[in-house]
């Protein structure tokens, strides 16, 4: 794309940087989105000097009574993809939809984002935090004939990013909340859902995975506690290889939460997945993530539990604790076990001028162990000027690497903030890791400083100098995944 | 291209000051007690402060106590605080224990299918919107840094039409 074209696009988009909504009679036209424009003024290695990073998300919709037609366009030249650690160009109309919304009926044609059965039967989503899309393209209807009953049905194709497959999905769900129309604090519910997912591994030769999921769940919400229980089954109707056994699987998932006299809450989760999911369909079915995150073995054969507690024992002191344990249902070698623990504390408005806090995380999963500590504190110079500092220590051991090395990583951050005007971030990251997983030598420290001018609540301009390792960087009160960077850059961000 | 940047900045500065009113979207979501809540029911007589957050968002967790403080102070004067948890269906069971354990009394809604996120065109978490009594979006703010709550409070106070300063928030 030429420079001139880029400028035209940017100016066109920036000139409407105020969530444009225009009404023409019964029609309402809405346009919104965000732009990020980054220009590499100086590159340490001299290869990318003058490189431009353009990222635009444009959402356009037209409302006409109960109808809405809309689209989402994403333009990235280039974007950094966290999962593959590389940059890629993207210019696509990622969503296109027509919806009808009324008191009793919602209907959508086009792009569908929908979960069923707590994500165990269907999980079509867009995760903006990590910029990952798993949309369904098809048609869906939700019908609420009475307040306590909702029936949903949909069908379409799933184009899961990075999977290269075009799954065919049919799914339905019935949710009944018999006391939903009353003001009673006791709210029982029943959830029944099922899906049929056909995954063409090789459509030319009719090699497919063909699976059915069925789930029954229920629970009750009471004033000081609640519980939910789900039981699900999977049948593989057709396997990818003629000789492959058509396995059946089942899953149990339950949660129970309670509040102790407005003093603290406790939570418990248990899950057991026995052949419930396999590698090719884990985007749209389990793992049903808890503290495990993406979990081991794609949730295929594992069980685990989590216990946790949250408390604010005195005003301004926020505490959180969680411990999780998981292992495989069926014994395979090597036996995989997972243990995780988190402790968080945050203090606000108790100590004059200072708000301290921090967290401790411990993880022991298969051949990887890590412990991470991060204390932080905000010092208030005046009501509008503050400095937040944090230092993170991480020690990790990755046994599957040669010589079973242990690494130590540290991140020091200092951020000055002048409310609504300016922020300045200094980030220093250090590691004693000598080589990456490919055996190539890597940098040992990254030093980065960024000054941000907040033009208004929707727009900011920043200049950054130094190096970024690439990863989640929190600056100006919001966290984004940043691509690796070395040099001097200017960045303009606008939300409209 | 380099010479174009100052020009671009000037154009940006001019363009982004064009303020157009926007009617806040009307969405129905379930709260953490499984009851349906329709946002337009709240807009009609109140100033509504909405925060998008999730249990994995650290800046959000720092902002939530400030939202509770605003509710404690201005709740009886017509302010309604709504937090919309964007945790996915696989994570939403963590929302209620977090809210109850921290003694938050504002309305908390689940948005696992991103209905509200999409309707409000939220770009990142935390995302704060203040809706006036006419149902129009009066203020938006992306991210949270200590001190941002004072700016939000001044907006709320103006919309409620009452006297107030940020200092009273921590009194």
């Amino acid at each position: 794309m030429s420079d001139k074209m880029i400028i035209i696009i940017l100016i066109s988009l920036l000139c409407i940087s105020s969530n444009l909504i225009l009404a023409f009679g019964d029609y309402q036209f809405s346009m919104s989105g965000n732009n990020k424009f980054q220009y590499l003024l100086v590159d340490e290695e001299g290869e990318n000097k003058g490189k431009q990073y353009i990222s635009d998300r444009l959402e356009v919709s037209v409302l006409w009574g109960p109808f809405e037609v809309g689209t989402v366009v994403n333009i990235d030249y280039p974007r950094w993809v966290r999962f593959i650690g590389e940059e890629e160009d993207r210019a696509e109309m990622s969503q296109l939809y027509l919806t009808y919304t009324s008191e009793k009926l919602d209907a959508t044609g086009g792009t569908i984002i929908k979960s069923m059965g707590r994500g165990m039967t269907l999980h079509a989503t867009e995760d903006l935090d990590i910029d990952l899309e798993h949309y369904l393209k098809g048609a869906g209807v939700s019908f609420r004939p009475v307040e306590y009953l909702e029936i949903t049905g949909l069908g379409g194709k799933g184009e899961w990013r990075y999977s290269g497959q075009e799954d065919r999905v049919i799914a339905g769900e019935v949710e009944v909340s018999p006391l939903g129309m009353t003001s009673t604090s006791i709210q029982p519910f029943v959830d029944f859902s099922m899906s049929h997912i056909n995954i063409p591994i090789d459509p030319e030769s009719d090699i497919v995975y063909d699976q059915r999921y069925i789930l029954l769940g229920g629970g009750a919400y009471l004033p000081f506690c609640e519980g939910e229980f789900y039981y699900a089954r999977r049948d593989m109707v057709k396997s990818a290889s003629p000789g492959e056994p058509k396995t059946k699987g089942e899953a149990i998932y339950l949660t129970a939460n309670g509040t102790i006299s407005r003093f603290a809450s406790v939570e418990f989760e248990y899950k057991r997945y026995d052949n419930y999911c396999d590698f090719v369909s884990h985007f749209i079915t389990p793992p049903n993530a808890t503290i495990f995150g993406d979990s081991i073995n794609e949730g295929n054969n594992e069980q685990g539990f989590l216990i946790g507690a949250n408390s604010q024992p005195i005003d301004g002191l926020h505490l959180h604790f969680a411990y999780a344990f998981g292992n495989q249902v069926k014994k395979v070698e090597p036996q995989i076990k997972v243990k995780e623990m988190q402790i968080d504390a945050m203090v606000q408005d108790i100590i004059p001028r200072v708000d301290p806090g921090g967290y401790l995380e411990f993880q022991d999963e298969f051949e990887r162990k890590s412990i991470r500590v991060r204390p932080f504190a905000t010092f208030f110079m005046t009501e509008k000027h503050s400095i937040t500092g944090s230092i993170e220590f991480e020690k990790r051991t990755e046994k599957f690497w040669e010589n079973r090395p242990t690494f130590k990583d540290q991140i020091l951050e200092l951020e000055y903030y002048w409310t609504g005007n300016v922020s300045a971030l200094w980030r220093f990251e250090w590691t004693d890791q000598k080589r990456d997983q490919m055996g190539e030598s890597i940098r040992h420290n990254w030093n980065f400083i960024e000054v941000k001018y907040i033009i208004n609540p929707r727009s900011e301009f920043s200049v950054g100098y130094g190096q970024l390792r690439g990863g989640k960087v929190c600056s100006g009160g919001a966290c984004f995944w940043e691509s690796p960077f070395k040099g001097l850059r200017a960045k303009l961000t606008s939300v409209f | 291209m380099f010479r174009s940047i100052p020009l671009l900045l000037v154009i940006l500065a001019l363009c982004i000051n064009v303020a157009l009113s926007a009617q806040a979207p009307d969405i129905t979501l379930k709260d953490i007690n499984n009851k349906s809540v329709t946002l337009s029911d709240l807009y009609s007589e109140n100033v509504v402060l909405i925060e998008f957050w999730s249990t994995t968002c650290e800046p959000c967790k720092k902002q939530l106590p400030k939202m509770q403080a605003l509710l404690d102070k201005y709740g009886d004067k017509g302010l309604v605080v709504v937090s919309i948890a964007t945790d996915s269906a696989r994570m939403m069971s963590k929302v209620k224990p977090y809210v109850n354990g921290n003694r938050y009394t504002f309305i908390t809604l689940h948005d696992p299918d991103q209905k509200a996120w999409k309707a409000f065109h939220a770009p990142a978490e935390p995302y704060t919107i203040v809706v006036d009594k006419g149902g129009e979006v009066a203020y938006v703010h992306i991210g949270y840094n200590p001190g941002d709550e004072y700016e939000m409070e001044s907006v709320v106070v103006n919309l409620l039409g009452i006297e107030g300063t940020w200092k009273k928030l921590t009194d």
Side-chain angles (χ1 to χ4, degrees):
Chain A
M1 181 177 283
S2 70
D3 288 352
K4 191 178 287 182
M5 183 65 78
I6 289 167
I7 293 171
I8 290 169
I9 291 173
L10 277 169
I11 291 174
S12 303
L13 295 177
L14 291 173
C15 280
I16 51 171
S17 298
S18 49
N19 195 356
L20 179 66
I21 294 183
L22 300 172
F24 304 100
D26 293 337
Y27 295 91
Q28 183 171 291
F29 174 81
S30 170
M31 184 182 284
S32 64
N34 57 72
N35 318 115
K36 289 176 196 164
F37 173 66
Q38 186 176 309
Y39 190 84
L40 201 54
L41 299 161
V42 176
D43 177 32
E44 278 190 0
E45 295 173 351
E47 295 174 355
N48 296 314
K49 184 180 176 183
K51 186 171 181 179
Q52 305 139 17
Y53 292 82
I54 311 232
S55 179
D56 289 308
R57 180 182 174 89
L58 182 63
E59 302 177 13
V60 182
S61 66
V62 177
L63 272 167
W64 180 52
F67 294 97
E68 180 180 9
V69 60
T71 185
V72 176
V73 176
N74 285 304
I75 301 169
D76 297 278
Y77 287 104
R79 72 169 184 161
W80 186 66
V81 184
R82 173 193 169 202
F83 294 100
I84 56 178
E86 293 177 0
E87 292 178 342
E88 69 171 23
D89 289 344
R90 174 174 67 162
E92 63 183 18
M93 186 160 54
S94 60
Q95 296 185 36
L96 180 64
Y97 56 87
L98 171 66
T99 62
Y100 171 86
T101 307
S102 67
E103 192 180 341
K104 293 191 173 181
L105 183 72
D106 295 342
T108 303
T111 308
I112 296 174
I113 296 172
K114 181 70 181 172
S115 288
M116 291 184 181
R118 283 288 189 267
M120 296 170 73
T121 318
L122 182 78
H123 192 62
T125 184
E126 177 185 29
D127 191 333
L128 286 168
D129 184 38
I130 54 175
D131 199 14
L132 188 65
E133 301 158 1
H134 295 307
Y135 297 134
L136 201 61
K137 292 176 181 174
V141 176
S142 284
F143 181 47
R144 292 175 296 279
V146 286
E147 277 191 63
Y148 54 84
L149 173 66
E150 180 165 0
I151 303 165
T152 304
L154 59 84
K157 287 184 177 181
E159 294 178 6
W160 322 118
R161 189 168 287 278
Y162 309 119
S163 75
Q165 296 151 355
E166 200 174 70
D167 306 345
R168 292 185 284 270
V169 179
I170 298 172
E173 183 171 35
V174 178
E175 290 179 272
V176 184
S177 303
L179 302 180
M181 78 296 252
T182 69
S183 58
T184 176
S185 54
I186 300 172
Q187 292 289 334
F189 74 97
V190 177
D191 182 355
F192 174 74
S193 63
M194 55 195 304
S195 64
H196 187 158
I197 300 167
N198 180 272
I199 306 166
I201 306 297
D202 182 359
E204 297 295 323
S205 55
D206 196 29
I207 297 176
V208 297
Y209 277 100
D210 195 6
Q211 298 169 102
R212 288 181 190 143
Y213 292 84
I214 184 165
L215 174 142
L216 180 62
Y221 293 78
L222 284 76
F224 296 107
C225 62
E226 67 184 53
E228 297 180 17
F229 176 82
Y230 294 92
Y231 173 77
R233 286 192 63 85
R234 176 188 78 124
D235 287 322
M236 185 186 283
V237 181
K238 192 173 183 181
S239 61
S241 307
E244 189 177 340
K246 295 172 186 171
T247 55
K248 291 189 175 184
E250 62 180 9
I252 293 170
Y253 174 61
L254 74 88
T255 65
N257 303 318
T259 304
I260 306 169
S261 304
R262 307 298 297 166
F263 168 76
S265 69
V266 291
E267 57 183 311
F268 175 79
E269 289 189 27
Y270 172 78
K271 64 174 181 176
R272 179 189 169 98
Y273 295 133
D274 192 353
N275 282 326
Y276 185 60
C277 171
D278 58 24
F279 179 75
V280 293
S281 60
H282 70 272
F283 288 125
I284 41 176
T285 50
N288 198 316
T290 60
I291 197 174
F292 297 118
D294 288 335
S295 191
I296 54 171
N297 202 21
E298 275 93 32
N300 192 7
N301 290 304
E302 66 171 331
Q303 62 180 338
F305 68 85
L306 174 147
I307 53 172
N310 290 280
S311 178
Q312 189 184 180
I314 58 172
D315 286 350
L317 175 61
H318 302 265
L319 304 171
H320 171 244
F321 166 81
Y323 174 79
F325 175 84
N327 63 7
Q328 287 188 319
V329 176
K330 292 177 180 174
K331 289 219 168 188
V332 294
E333 292 299 333
Q335 177 73 18
I336 297 175
K337 291 184 178 179
V338 176
K339 283 183 272 187
E340 289 188 30
M341 186 183 73
Q342 294 177 344
I343 299 173
D344 300 80
M346 184 175 72
V347 176
Q348 286 188 335
D349 304 328
I350 294 179
I351 305 167
R353 290 183 174 271
V354 180
D355 283 354
Y359 62 79
L360 168 68
E361 289 181 354
F362 167 77
Q363 186 180 51
D364 183 354
E365 177 179 341
F366 191 34
E367 296 191 328
R368 183 197 304 266
K369 281 185 183 177
S370 70
I371 183 165
R372 191 157 59 128
V373 184
R374 184 170 179 264
F376 60 81
T378 297
F379 173 66
F380 297 92
M381 295 175 285
T382 68
E383 69 272 20
K384 288 193 172 181
H385 298 266
S386 64
I387 292 178
T388 299
S390 68
I391 184 161
E392 181 175 302
F393 299 95
E394 183 177 11
K395 182 180 177 183
R396 57 195 165 98
T397 302
E398 299 181 349
K399 290 181 180 176
F400 47 82
W401 283 35
E402 192 179 354
N403 300 324
R404 299 185 175 186
T406 297
F407 307 124
K408 290 175 188 165
D409 297 315
Q410 291 161 31
I411 301 172
L412 172 66
E413 281 186 343
L414 280 176
E415 183 169 19
Y416 160 74
Y417 186 62
W418 176 15
T419 304
N421 290 290
V422 170
S423 72
L425 171 75
W426 173 49
R427 179 184 169 101
F428 177 71
E429 190 166 356
W430 175 86
T431 181
D432 67 353
Q433 185 177 348
K434 301 258 186 320
R435 297 185 180 279
D436 65 12
Q437 285 172 305
M438 306 303 290
E440 296 181 5
S441 61
I442 64 167
R443 192 183 184 98
H444 294 162
N445 57 70
W446 296 262
N447 213 340
F448 182 71
I449 187 163
E450 183 176 59
V451 178
K452 190 176 285 183
Y453 172 61
I454 301 160
I455 303 167
N456 65 28
R458 295 174 184 265
S459 307
E460 58 192 32
F461 173 72
S462 66
V463 175
Y465 176 70
Q467 312 90 32
L468 277 177
R469 189 178 191 177
K472 199 170 189 177
V473 176
C474 298
S475 171
C479 304
F480 298 96
W481 288 91
E482 293 266 15
S483 57
F485 163 80
K486 297 168 192 169
L488 176 66
R489 74 178 186 191
K491 191 160 78 170
L492 192 60
T493 305
S494 173
V495 174
F496 57 91
Chain B
M1 181 65 194
F2 180 72
R3 284 175 296 182
S4 305
I5 290 178
L7 173 66
L8 204 60
L9 287 174
V10 172
I11 294 168
L12 169 70
L14 292 172
C15 293
I16 56 183
N17 287 319
V18 179
L20 294 173
S21 63
Q23 198 69 27
D26 184 19
I27 300 286
T28 299
L29 297 171
K30 286 195 172 174
D31 70 7
I32 53 174
N33 297 311
N34 210 32
K35 289 183 181 176
S36 294
V37 174
T38 301
L39 291 181
S40 61
D41 293 342
L42 306 175
Y43 298 152
S44 54
E45 295 179 359
N46 306 290
V47 172
V48 182
L49 190 155
I50 299 168
E51 181 190 343
F52 284 89
W53 68 289
S54 70
T55 55
T56 56
C57 166
E58 290 305 318
C60 305
K61 291 179 179 179
K62 291 181 181 175
Q63 185 178 344
L64 288 174
K66 306 300 181 184
M67 301 300 99
Q68 180 65 45
L70 286 172
L71 178 65
D72 292 343
K73 187 176 174 188
Y74 299 109
D76 60 352
K77 296 178 177 66
L79 174 68
V80 172
V81 175
V82 178
S83 83
I84 300 180
T86 60
D87 294 79
S88 73
R90 295 174 175 176
M91 293 290 284
M92 58 194 279
S93 65
K94 296 191 172 310
V95 174
K96 188 174 180 180
Y98 185 80
V99 169
N100 282 350
N102 285 288
R103 292 189 274 142
Y104 298 140
T105 57
F106 42 66
I107 297 166
T108 297
L109 307 176
H110 286 299
D111 189 23
D113 293 328
Q114 302 166 348
K115 275 171 69 179
W117 177 274
K118 202 169 165 183
F120 279 92
H121 305 292
E125 292 176 333
Y127 186 54
T128 308
I129 302 121
V130 181
V131 180
D132 67 18
K133 290 180 180 177
E136 290 194 349
V137 174
Y139 172 83
V140 299
H141 187 88
I142 305 154
Y144 172 76
N145 266 325
D148 285 343
E149 66 272 19
Y150 307 135
E151 188 177 278
M152 294 168 196
E153 184 182 19
S154 69
V155 172
V156 166
V157 164
N158 284 334
L159 293 175
L160 289 172
I162 56 174
E163 291 295 318
T165 66
W166 64 269
K167 285 180 181 174
K168 291 178 184 172
L169 186 63
T170 52
D171 284 348

